[in-house]
PDB file of all heavy atoms in Angstrom:
ATOM      1  N   THR Z  85     -50.706  34.546 -51.340  1.00 95.00           N
ATOM      2  CA  THR Z  85     -51.200  34.245 -49.945  1.00 95.00           C
ATOM      3  C   THR Z  85     -51.880  32.901 -49.885  1.00 95.00           C
ATOM      4  O   THR Z  85     -52.314  32.459 -48.789  1.00 95.00           O
ATOM      5  CB  THR Z  85     -52.138  35.299 -49.365  1.00 95.00           C
ATOM      6  OG1 THR Z  85     -53.247  35.544 -50.269  1.00 95.00           O
ATOM      7  CG2 THR Z  85     -51.305  36.594 -49.343  1.00 95.00           C
ATOM      8  N   HIS Z  86     -52.120  32.182 -50.969  1.00 96.00           N
ATOM      9  CA  HIS Z  86     -52.850  30.886 -50.999  1.00 96.00           C
ATOM     10  C   HIS Z  86     -51.953  29.925 -51.833  1.00 96.00           C
ATOM     11  O   HIS Z  86     -52.388  29.666 -52.981  1.00 96.00           O
ATOM     12  CB  HIS Z  86     -54.292  30.947 -51.535  1.00 96.00           C
ATOM     13  CG  HIS Z  86     -55.120  31.815 -50.667  1.00 96.00           C
ATOM     14  ND1 HIS Z  86     -55.088  33.166 -50.695  1.00 96.00           N
ATOM     15  CD2 HIS Z  86     -55.984  31.340 -49.734  1.00 96.00           C
ATOM     16  CE1 HIS Z  86     -56.047  33.545 -49.786  1.00 96.00           C
ATOM     17  NE2 HIS Z  86     -56.573  32.458 -49.173  1.00 96.00           N
ATOM     18  N   PRO Z  87     -50.842  29.449 -51.383  1.00 94.00           N
ATOM     19  CA  PRO Z  87     -49.998  28.571 -52.234  1.00 94.00           C
ATOM     20  C   PRO Z  87     -50.642  27.333 -52.676  1.00 94.00           C
ATOM     21  O   PRO Z  87     -50.173  26.755 -53.564  1.00 94.00           O
ATOM     22  CB  PRO Z  87     -48.878  28.374 -51.147  1.00 94.00           C
ATOM     23  CG  PRO Z  87     -49.337  28.693 -49.846  1.00 94.00           C
ATOM     24  CD  PRO Z  87     -50.395  29.771 -50.028  1.00 94.00           C
ATOM     25  N   GLU Z  88     -51.698  26.975 -51.960  1.00 96.00           N
ATOM     26  CA  GLU Z  88     -52.340  25.601 -52.378  1.00 96.00           C
ATOM     27  C   GLU Z  88     -53.058  25.681 -53.794  1.00 96.00           C
ATOM     28  O   GLU Z  88     -53.290  24.683 -54.399  1.00 96.00           O
ATOM     29  CB  GLU Z  88     -53.397  25.228 -51.390  1.00 96.00           C
ATOM     30  CG  GLU Z  88     -54.611  26.192 -51.266  1.00 96.00           C
ATOM     31  CD  GLU Z  88     -54.417  27.268 -50.259  1.00 96.00           C
ATOM     32  OE1 GLU Z  88     -53.271  27.776 -50.020  1.00 96.00           O
ATOM     33  OE2 GLU Z  88     -55.380  27.769 -49.769  1.00 96.00           O
ATOM     34  N   TYR Z  89     -53.131  26.984 -54.304  1.00 96.00           N
ATOM     35  CA  TYR Z  89     -53.765  27.073 -55.711  1.00 96.00           C
ATOM     36  C   TYR Z  89     -52.735  27.541 -56.716  1.00 96.00           C
ATOM     37  O   TYR Z  89     -53.125  27.840 -57.919  1.00 96.00           O
ATOM     38  CB  TYR Z  89     -54.848  28.143 -55.553  1.00 96.00           C
ATOM     39  CG  TYR Z  89     -55.918  27.893 -54.580  1.00 96.00           C
ATOM     40  CD1 TYR Z  89     -56.269  28.652 -53.629  1.00 96.00           C
ATOM     41  CD2 TYR Z  89     -56.586  26.593 -54.642  1.00 96.00           C
ATOM     42  CE1 TYR Z  89     -57.317  28.290 -52.779  1.00 96.00           C
ATOM     43  CE2 TYR Z  89     -57.601  26.251 -53.730  1.00 96.00           C
ATOM     44  CZ  TYR Z  89     -57.875  27.095 -52.753  1.00 96.00           C
ATOM     45  OH  TYR Z  89     -58.867  26.673 -51.922  1.00 96.00           O
ATOM     46  N   GLN Z  90     -51.462  27.656 -56.321  1.00 90.00           N
ATOM     47  CA  GLN Z  90     -50.450  28.244 -57.274  1.00 90.00           C
ATOM     48  C   GLN Z  90     -50.225  27.320 -58.510  1.00 90.00           C
ATOM     49  O   GLN Z  90     -49.703  27.864 -59.405  1.00 90.00           O
ATOM     50  CB  GLN Z  90     -49.163  28.586 -56.532  1.00 90.00           C
ATOM     51  CG  GLN Z  90     -49.403  29.740 -55.626  1.00 90.00           C
ATOM     52  CD  GLN Z  90     -48.127  30.113 -54.879  1.00 90.00           C
ATOM     53  OE1 GLN Z  90     -47.057  29.454 -54.948  1.00 90.00           O
ATOM     54  NE2 GLN Z  90     -48.093  31.172 -54.032  1.00 90.00           N
ATOM     55  N   GLU Z  91     -50.562  26.053 -58.406  1.00 93.00           N
ATOM     56  CA  GLU Z  91     -50.276  25.200 -59.592  1.00 93.00           C
ATOM     57  C   GLU Z  91     -51.489  25.295 -60.552  1.00 93.00           C
ATOM     58  O   GLU Z  91     -51.289  24.717 -61.653  1.00 93.00           O
ATOM     59  CB  GLU Z  91     -50.160  23.770 -59.082  1.00 93.00           C
ATOM     60  CG  GLU Z  91     -48.919  23.442 -58.219  1.00 93.00           C
ATOM     61  CD  GLU Z  91     -47.625  23.775 -58.922  1.00 93.00           C
ATOM     62  OE1 GLU Z  91     -47.438  23.367 -60.017  1.00 93.00           O
ATOM     63  OE2 GLU Z  91     -46.727  24.387 -58.262  1.00 93.00           O
ATOM     64  N   LEU Z  92     -52.510  25.867 -60.256  1.00 95.00           N
ATOM     65  CA  LEU Z  92     -53.672  26.013 -61.149  1.00 95.00           C
ATOM     66  C   LEU Z  92     -53.500  27.146 -62.039  1.00 95.00           C
ATOM     67  O   LEU Z  92     -52.791  28.169 -61.759  1.00 95.00           O
ATOM     68  CB  LEU Z  92     -54.899  26.238 -60.344  1.00 95.00           C
ATOM     69  CG  LEU Z  92     -55.315  25.154 -59.406  1.00 95.00           C
ATOM     70  CD1 LEU Z  92     -56.503  25.649 -58.470  1.00 95.00           C
ATOM     71  CD2 LEU Z  92     -55.606  23.888 -60.085  1.00 95.00           C
ATOM     72  N   GLN Z  93     -54.028  27.140 -63.242  1.00 94.00           N
ATOM     73  CA  GLN Z  93     -53.965  28.128 -64.227  1.00 94.00           C
ATOM     74  C   GLN Z  93     -54.911  29.142 -63.977  1.00 94.00           C
ATOM     75  O   GLN Z  93     -56.155  28.945 -63.912  1.00 94.00           O
ATOM     76  CB  GLN Z  93     -54.240  27.592 -65.617  1.00 94.00           C
ATOM     77  CG  GLN Z  93     -54.335  28.539 -66.841  1.00 94.00           C
ATOM     78  CD  GLN Z  93     -52.979  29.142 -67.114  1.00 94.00           C
ATOM     79  OE1 GLN Z  93     -51.924  28.563 -67.024  1.00 94.00           O
ATOM     80  NE2 GLN Z  93     -52.955  30.462 -67.407  1.00 94.00           N
ATOM     81  N   PRO Z  94     -54.451  30.464 -63.810  1.00 95.00           N
ATOM     82  CA  PRO Z  94     -55.428  31.497 -63.499  1.00 95.00           C
ATOM     83  C   PRO Z  94     -56.179  31.900 -64.732  1.00 95.00           C
ATOM     84  O   PRO Z  94     -55.731  31.842 -65.838  1.00 95.00           O
ATOM     85  CB  PRO Z  94     -54.640  32.693 -63.056  1.00 95.00           C
ATOM     86  CG  PRO Z  94     -53.275  32.406 -63.449  1.00 95.00           C
ATOM     87  CD  PRO Z  94     -53.076  30.880 -63.610  1.00 95.00           C
ATOM     88  N   ARG Z  95     -57.490  32.232 -64.502  1.00 95.00           N
ATOM     89  CA  ARG Z  95     -58.434  32.659 -65.754  1.00 95.00           C
ATOM     90  C   ARG Z  95     -59.218  33.776 -65.195  1.00 95.00           C
ATOM     91  O   ARG Z  95     -59.655  33.842 -64.087  1.00 95.00           O
ATOM     92  CB  ARG Z  95     -59.190  31.579 -66.118  1.00 95.00           C
ATOM     93  CG  ARG Z  95     -59.924  31.738 -67.416  1.00 95.00           C
ATOM     94  CD  ARG Z  95     -60.710  30.506 -67.853  1.00 95.00           C
ATOM     95  NE  ARG Z  95     -62.038  30.519 -67.152  1.00 95.00           N
ATOM     96  CZ  ARG Z  95     -62.711  29.404 -67.005  1.00 95.00           C
ATOM     97  NH1 ARG Z  95     -62.338  28.230 -67.368  1.00 95.00           N
ATOM     98  NH2 ARG Z  95     -63.880  29.500 -66.405  1.00 95.00           N
ATOM     99  N   PHE Z  96     -59.512  34.691 -66.051  1.00 95.00           N
ATOM    100  CA  PHE Z  96     -60.277  35.987 -65.650  1.00 95.00           C
ATOM    101  C   PHE Z  96     -61.613  35.903 -66.467  1.00 95.00           C
ATOM    102  O   PHE Z  96     -61.509  35.997 -67.780  1.00 95.00           O
ATOM    103  CB  PHE Z  96     -59.435  37.246 -66.005  1.00 95.00           C
ATOM    104  CG  PHE Z  96     -58.331  37.319 -65.113  1.00 95.00           C
ATOM    105  CD1 PHE Z  96     -57.122  36.755 -65.584  1.00 95.00           C
ATOM    106  CD2 PHE Z  96     -58.358  37.822 -63.858  1.00 95.00           C
ATOM    107  CE1 PHE Z  96     -55.930  36.831 -64.620  1.00 95.00           C
ATOM    108  CE2 PHE Z  96     -57.265  37.971 -62.946  1.00 95.00           C
ATOM    109  CZ  PHE Z  96     -56.027  37.460 -63.398  1.00 95.00           C
ATOM    110  N   ASP Z  97     -62.694  35.837 -65.857  1.00 95.00           N
ATOM    111  CA  ASP Z  97     -63.994  35.736 -66.456  1.00 95.00           C
ATOM    112  C   ASP Z  97     -64.742  36.984 -65.948  1.00 95.00           C
ATOM    113  O   ASP Z  97     -64.577  37.627 -65.007  1.00 95.00           O
ATOM    114  CB  ASP Z  97     -64.745  34.550 -65.980  1.00 95.00           C
ATOM    115  CG  ASP Z  97     -64.118  33.163 -66.438  1.00 95.00           C
ATOM    116  OD1 ASP Z  97     -63.112  33.242 -67.293  1.00 95.00           O
ATOM    117  OD2 ASP Z  97     -64.728  32.154 -66.244  1.00 95.00           O
ATOM    118  N   VAL Z  98     -65.846  37.224 -66.817  1.00 95.00           N
ATOM    119  CA  VAL Z  98     -66.773  38.334 -66.385  1.00 95.00           C
ATOM    120  C   VAL Z  98     -68.315  37.767 -66.540  1.00 95.00           C
ATOM    121  O   VAL Z  98     -68.641  37.201 -67.574  1.00 95.00           O
ATOM    122  CB  VAL Z  98     -66.600  39.511 -67.376  1.00 95.00           C
ATOM    123  CG1 VAL Z  98     -67.668  40.624 -67.108  1.00 95.00           C
ATOM    124  CG2 VAL Z  98     -65.267  40.115 -67.386  1.00 95.00           C
ATOM    125  N   ALA Z  99     -69.018  38.084 -65.512  1.00 94.00           N
ATOM    126  CA  ALA Z  99     -70.447  37.794 -65.404  1.00 94.00           C
ATOM    127  C   ALA Z  99     -71.101  39.128 -65.620  1.00 94.00           C
ATOM    128  O   ALA Z  99     -70.983  40.013 -64.804  1.00 94.00           O
ATOM    129  CB  ALA Z  99     -70.850  37.073 -64.282  1.00 94.00           C
ATOM    130  N   ALA Z 100     -71.884  39.290 -66.696  1.00 93.00           N
ATOM    131  CA  ALA Z 100     -72.530  40.601 -66.998  1.00 93.00           C
ATOM    132  C   ALA Z 100     -74.054  40.283 -66.900  1.00 93.00           C
ATOM    133  O   ALA Z 100     -74.651  39.411 -67.604  1.00 93.00           O
ATOM    134  CB  ALA Z 100     -72.231  40.994 -68.398  1.00 93.00           C
ATOM    135  N   ILE Z 101     -74.731  41.030 -66.007  1.00 91.00           N
ATOM    136  CA  ILE Z 101     -76.169  40.865 -65.717  1.00 91.00           C
ATOM    137  C   ILE Z 101     -76.903  42.112 -65.916  1.00 91.00           C
ATOM    138  O   ILE Z 101     -76.475  43.203 -65.434  1.00 91.00           O
ATOM    139  CB  ILE Z 101     -76.423  40.369 -64.337  1.00 91.00           C
ATOM    140  CG1 ILE Z 101     -75.610  39.102 -64.107  1.00 91.00           C
ATOM    141  CG2 ILE Z 101     -77.895  40.219 -64.000  1.00 91.00           C
ATOM    142  CD1 ILE Z 101     -75.518  38.744 -62.580  1.00 91.00           C
TER     143      ILE Z 101
END
Side-chain angles (χ1 to χ4, degrees):
T85 59
H86 293 83
E88 66 272 27
Y89 303 124
Q90 290 179 358
E91 296 299 315
L92 298 173
Q93 176 66 40
R95 192 177 83 202
F96 296 91
D97 295 0
V98 176
I101 303 165

